[in-house]
């Protein structure tokens, strides 16, 4: 199971979907029974659910794919220079989760030499899951996702634009990008984290502008948007790969992405 | 059924909850089967679902409470100077609904001489409903809502603040309020429409700043927030009542509301 071919991709995607089943189960159980949170060194919170979900998913990967690497948000890297590396964000949107806002989710992806080849985004509280792999299409449940472009630029103002939270932009001195978009379009909404990503995949928002992401936040979306026929642009390139890179991305319907890029660049 | 007493309030709330059952049924059916939208004179969209839900709810009110008035978003006033007037927003967040973003809902309230005495906010796609009446408490499902205040102002920065969309503020020349809040707090999210209101009722966001609302957007929230022990402030007072008034409101945990008011005024 170490070469990139259709048969392996399908098998790996099946395993990723099964991992998302497990994470959904663990997360919904913790919502019922309660959970603890602690402050991390970087000033953000982590809950015991983040850690227990990531531990469970890592155990599955280590058992099924001992030769693959793992980069996850809450625990140390495993073999991060392997040809194939899994990325895990056990709860993307921990702040929402902690406040019981139902717009958080689990993100799983697989990289082949830093290129995302499959992705799963699961929103447990909404019962929505997007999944797909290179050349295999992107799906929401059984429905194949097709991000339809707009017929003309006039229609852009009737779209909704999703953005990450302003503090993501402030953290890297790029709040002017957030403010510019907020002023340029009448309906910009801070649908941060994977909820915004899924809304872009479903075509519910025209595009999303999300800055200062880690690989575990962004890899699944990249492959899913492309497989759905949408446009995905990385504004910030860094060839190092791994845990230390940050990604500034814009993705969604091609015309809306282009319109946003004109305002950002 | 024309005097304000506990027995009548309970009966009316029961009827409002039953109306919300019906609207949820109609809305979820239309999500499955599809719906049409048209542009209104005010530049916003209406779907055939908005109209059919409002028509169905009005029929229930006219039958059960022929002496009460009705003010609803999509249809003409009925007896708006009656002692008791029902307000209906069949789909609050039509823009979200039209784009299949699951953060819309139905709002029903009853006014007694312009004072909200009961309210129901139903989020069909999330399966969440808040309801309550004057002196009867506010509930989400079976759970009584208690908006807990923060122990001190230090904790405010770890809260999430909900805001309406910037265009609501732009429309009345008050975009400086939106921008001020967006700059003053690290986690301001445009959780517009009744989704933000429900998040404030559940204590998931510290408070919400929502401007330029109609009575059908705001009346239910006012009684529910107060019954849940939260603080609800109208910044913009207009004694005329009815369809033509707009409300600028801030509501949620008392310390967070006060902190926001200091920045807005």
């Amino acid at each position: 199971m170490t070469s990139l071919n259709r048969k392996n991709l399908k098998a790996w995607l099946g395993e990723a979907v099964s991992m998302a089943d497990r994470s959904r189960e663990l997360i919904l159980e913790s919502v019922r029974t309660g959970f603890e949170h602690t402050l991390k060194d970087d000033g953000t919170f982590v809950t015991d659910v983040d850690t227990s979900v990531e531990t469970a998913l890592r155990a599955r990967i280590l058992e099924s794919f001992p030769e693959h690497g793992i980069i996850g948000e809450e625990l140390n890297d495993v073999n991060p220079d392997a040809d194939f590396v899994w990325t895990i964000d056990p709860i993307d949107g921990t702040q929402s989760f902690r406040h019981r806002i139902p717009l958080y989710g689990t993100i799983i992806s697989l990289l082949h030499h830093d290129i995302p080849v499959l992705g799963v985004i699961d929103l447990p509280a909404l019962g929505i899951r997007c999944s797909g792999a290179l050349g295999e299409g992107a799906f929401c449940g059984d429905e194949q996702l097709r991000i339809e472009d707009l017929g003309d630029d006039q229609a852009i103002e009737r779209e909704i634009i999703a953005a990450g939270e302003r503090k993501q932009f402030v953290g890297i001195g790029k709040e002017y990008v957030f403010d510019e978009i907020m002023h340029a379009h009448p309906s910009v909404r801070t649908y941060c984290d994977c909820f915004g990503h899924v809304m872009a995949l479903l075509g519910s928002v025209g595009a999303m502008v999300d800055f200062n992401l880690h690989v575990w936040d962004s890899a699944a979306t990249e492959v899913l948007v492309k497989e759905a026929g949408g446009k995905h642009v990385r504004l910030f390139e860094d060839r190092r790969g791994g845990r230390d890179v940050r990604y500034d991305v814009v993705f969604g319907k091609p015309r809306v992405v282009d319109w946003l890029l004109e305002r950002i660049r």
Side-chain angles (χ1 to χ4, degrees), chain A residues 152-206:
Chain A
D152 58 65
D153 279 7
Q154 303 309 109
I156 291 173
E157 70 168 22
R158 289 192 186 142
E159 294 289 303
I160 295 166
I161 307 298
E165 278 192 301
R166 191 169 186 275
K167 70 177 172 192
Q168 295 174 224
F169 299 79
V170 171
I172 49 172
K174 293 182 183 166
E175 60 270 26
Y176 63 90
V177 172
F178 181 93
D179 294 340
E180 172 59 30
I181 296 164
M182 196 50 97
H183 286 69
H185 192 280
S187 288
V188 180
R189 297 184 184 173
T190 50
Y191 285 162
C192 52
D193 311 318
C194 53
F195 176 71
H197 293 224
V198 166
M199 290 299 105
L201 282 165
L202 298 177
S204 292
V205 302

Side-chain angles (χ1 to χ4, degrees), chain A residues 12 17 19 50-51 58 76-77 81-82 87 95 118 132 146 182 184-185 195 200-201 206 223 233 243 258:
Chain A
W12 294 333
V17 164
M19 287 192 259
D50 295 73
T51 321
R58 280 170 176 253
N76 291 334
D77 290 354
D81 299 318
T87 70
Q95 199 188 6
L118 68 80
R146 299 192 193 285
M182 196 50 97
H185 192 280
F195 176 71
L201 282 165
V223 60
V233 177
R243 169 174 294 276
D258 290 340

